[in-house]
Amino acid sequence: MTSVTSSTSASLAHDALTVLQPGFHGTSAPGWLLDRLGEGLGSVALFARNIESPEQLAKLTAQLRNVRPDVLVAADEEGGDVTRLEARGGSSFPGNLALGAVDDAELTRAVAAELGRRLAACGVNLNWAPSADVNSDPENPVIGVRSFGAEAWRVARHTAAYVEGLQSAGVAACTKHFPGHGDTAVDSHHALPRVDVPLATLRTRELLPFRAAVAVGTKAVMSAHIVVPAIDPHRPGTLSRAVLTGLLREELGYEGLIVTDGIEMRAIADAYGIERGTVLALAAGADAICVGGGLADEETVLALRDAIVRAVREGDLAEERLADAAARVRELAAWTVSAAGAAQGSAPDPDIGLAAARRALRVTRTEEYVPLDAAPYVAAFTPVANIAVGDETPWGISAELERLLPGTVTGSFRADDALTANVLRLAGDRRIVAVVRDVHRHPWMAQALGSLLAARPDTVVVEMGVPQARPSGALHIATHGAARVCGQAAAEVIAGRD
């Protein structure tokens, strides 16, 4: 057992709080959170449940900074399908796959700068974005349109541009999910994925975007809860010294903050528990522990603080490693304070998200297609949303079509033997607009769409996930994402307003 003689219990507890990034419930800061900020808590994590409007969010972050002016306020604001600022209405930005499809790095940089400007205006200074995962497995249930694409060079180029744009607004980028979550068919929210590829493949595919992010100075990197046997066959990346220290620090030369993905995700919690998982992550080289997507209470924060202190006292975590982690948190906090002043005065570009969504559309028309001039029936084939996206964020084109074609009617459908018959019955004589999402991943959806097109070949098909199948229908629109602006851009084409 290693005794602790160079720090008091208070300073150990202070550093232990500094490395935590907890969430909370409510739209104003609870008393316990403010108390912990006063005791050394270095970061606060925000989720959709905490955000009602930009004005409310600005008041909340000001409340936090009244206690700790340099607090890191983090949010998972990727734009596109994953939005916290606009969870109630859908994002004003099209998301990574759409930007990758346009393949204009300057556009990506400008979109990220505008997103960063809006975050900064609300007091958010750490964004858990961008996703630098190469979506090499089309069956991937958790990345998909969150990736810039399936080619490493494309993802690398746009990851770098996104980091530069976001940080130009004074918001720290957190490039994720290291060493790459794209080649998995398992969602780490629910289980522990594996990436079984040779190290040479990892270096030329998964790691290429992270090298690009490091080269342009990403301020943070988020670890992935995945096992990569070529690097460490025993522990997931978040808990692996070989991954975080050997690969990220030593091989890639990264010197910034390493943040874990949510420590309460089942890939970690089921096998290790959150307290042990937290200690193992810090020992492996992580500097900040993200917690609060699911567990968001004072008891969790205190339990993790005490587990870290206990690990130092019992020799399971080196005191120097904890001190180093806390120092990196404070270094990033200092950067955000200085960067906020330097970034003031950047000009807003409120229309850039819609312009990007329009450019991202891939439209295929038959010669017979005539734009709709009457209200259609929209059949939304709805898969189960993954946790990263959340069920609370609306998606589709119904609201946007309703604005252009008043009287539009919508039905939402899941797997059902009578799905096609129900759509045809409810649509009646109206033109049908079938809205699908990752149809290649859902056999029930592919079967229903095929049956619908056989019965009504004039159906319009809008694919809002990763496009795989050949275009079908009188009009086929691939939006490369399900954000609100993607729906607006598609609706304009359907109604002949493009």
Side-chain angles (χ1 to χ4, degrees), residues 192-337:
L192 181 60
R194 292 171 62 91
V195 176
D196 284 301
V197 298
L199 187 56
T201 300
L202 288 168
R203 288 193 170 114
T204 57
R205 189 179 65 185
E206 274 75 14
L207 297 184
L208 198 64
F210 290 98
R211 289 186 186 277
V214 170
V216 297
T218 185
K219 294 299 178 181
V221 170
M222 177 175 282
S223 67
H225 303 331
I226 58 172
V227 172
V228 185
I231 306 171
D232 187 337
H234 304 295
R235 285 185 173 172
T238 294
L239 312 183
S240 171
R241 181 172 176 80
V243 171
L244 299 187
T245 300
L247 186 60
L248 181 54
R249 291 276 187 225
E250 296 171 2
E251 182 172 329
L252 270 63
Y254 176 65
E255 297 180 351
L257 190 78
I258 299 177
V259 183
T260 72
D261 207 343
I263 205 70
E264 74 269 39
M265 290 164 60
R266 293 184 63 181
I268 300 298
D270 283 0
Y272 300 92
I274 65 167
E275 293 182 16
R276 182 166 178 251
T278 291
V279 171
L280 290 173
L282 291 168
D287 305 304
I289 306 298
C290 172
V291 63
L295 299 173
D297 53 69
E298 182 178 17
E299 290 74 19
T300 298
V301 173
L302 295 179
L304 293 182
R305 178 200 65 185
D306 293 346
I308 294 168
V309 171
R310 185 168 57 251
V312 173
R313 292 196 173 279
E314 295 178 354
D316 295 324
L317 175 64
E319 182 183 356
E320 294 78 10
R321 173 78 274 276
L322 175 60
D324 175 64
R328 289 182 192 276
V329 173
R330 289 189 281 267
E331 287 170 8
L332 179 56
W335 177 86
T336 63
V337 172

Side-chain angles (χ1 to χ4, degrees), residues 86-470:
E86 300 181 279
R88 288 168 172 76
S91 181
S92 301
F93 301 93
N96 285 2
L97 189 65
L99 295 172
V102 176
D103 197 22
D104 179 346
E106 287 303 318
L107 176 66
T108 297
R109 189 176 289 106
V111 166
E114 175 62 19
L115 180 58
R117 188 194 66 78
R118 296 189 193 184
L119 286 168
C122 296
V124 177
N125 56 11
L126 172 58
N127 189 10
W128 294 324
S131 170
D133 307 293
V134 180
N135 198 55
S136 52
D137 185 346
E139 295 299 317
N140 196 312
V142 69
I143 301 301
V145 296
R146 301 168 65 195
S147 168
F148 290 110
E151 305 93 354
W153 62 266
R154 186 190 305 269
V155 177
R157 177 157 78 160
H158 291 278
T159 294
Y162 193 108
V163 168
E164 290 176 329
L166 189 65
Q167 293 186 171
S168 73
V171 176
C174 183
T175 306
K176 62 188 184 185
H177 306 82
F178 187 83
H181 208 311
D183 192 15
T184 67
V186 173
D187 185 343
S188 53
H189 290 91
H190 303 295
L192 181 60
R194 292 171 62 91
V195 176
D196 284 301
V197 298
L199 187 56
T201 300
L202 288 168
R203 288 193 170 114
T204 57
R205 189 179 65 185
E206 274 75 14
L207 297 184
L208 198 64
F210 290 98
R211 289 186 186 277
V214 170
V216 297
T218 185
K219 294 299 178 181
V221 170
M222 177 175 282
S223 67
H225 303 331
I226 58 172
V227 172
V228 185
I231 306 171
D232 187 337
H234 304 295
R235 285 185 173 172
T238 294
L239 312 183
S240 171
R241 181 172 176 80
V243 171
L244 299 187
T245 300
L247 186 60
L248 181 54
R249 291 276 187 225
E250 296 171 2
E251 182 172 329
L252 270 63
Y254 176 65
E255 297 180 351
L257 190 78
I258 299 177
V259 183
T260 72
D261 207 343
I263 205 70
E264 74 269 39
M265 290 164 60
R266 293 184 63 181
I268 300 298
D270 283 0
Y272 300 92
I274 65 167
E275 293 182 16
R276 182 166 178 251
T278 291
V279 171
L280 290 173
L282 291 168
D287 305 304
I289 306 298
C290 172
V291 63
L295 299 173
D297 53 69
E298 182 178 17
E299 290 74 19
T300 298
V301 173
L302 295 179
L304 293 182
R305 178 200 65 185
D306 293 346
I308 294 168
V309 171
R310 185 168 57 251
V312 173
R313 292 196 173 279
E314 295 178 354
D316 295 324
L317 175 64
E319 182 183 356
E320 294 78 10
R321 173 78 274 276
L322 175 60
D324 175 64
R328 289 182 192 276
V329 173
R330 289 189 281 267
E331 287 170 8
L332 179 56
W335 177 86
T336 63
V337 172
S338 61
Q344 287 179 355
S346 57
D349 192 353
D351 299 323
I352 193 167
L354 178 58
R358 287 168 174 157
R359 289 180 63 185
L361 296 183
R362 189 178 74 195
V363 180
T364 306
R365 298 178 176 88
T366 64
E367 292 182 2
E368 298 80 18
Y369 177 73
V370 177
L372 276 63
D373 58 5
Y377 183 82
V378 177
F381 293 1
T382 308
V384 176
N386 70 62
I387 293 175
V389 174
D391 291 322
E392 71 274 5
T393 305
W395 70 282
I397 63 170
S398 300
E400 307 305 327
L401 267 181
E402 172 66 28
R403 292 188 183 96
L404 298 177
L405 300 171
T408 294
V409 176
T410 300
S412 182
F413 301 89
R414 296 189 186 273
D416 189 313
D417 290 341
L419 191 156
T420 302
N422 287 333
V423 172
L424 293 172
R425 175 178 58 81
L426 292 167
D429 294 333
R430 293 172 181 257
R431 286 284 295 277
I432 297 174
V433 178
V435 183
V436 296
R437 197 167 177 176
D438 291 342
V439 67
H440 66 284
R441 291 185 48 239
H442 303 284
W444 66 268
M445 193 183 297
Q447 182 178 355
L449 182 61
S451 299
L452 181 60
L453 289 169
R456 293 284 294 270
D458 64 344
T459 293
V460 172
V461 178
V462 181
E463 168 60 88
M464 306 198 82
V466 178
Q468 294 286 330
R470 289 176 297 176

Side-chain angles (χ1 to χ4, degrees), residues 34-49:
L34 299 176
D35 289 344
R36 300 293 87 77
L37 283 171
E39 295 168 4
L41 184 67
S43 310
V44 173
L46 300 179
F47 297 88
R49 63 180 180 243

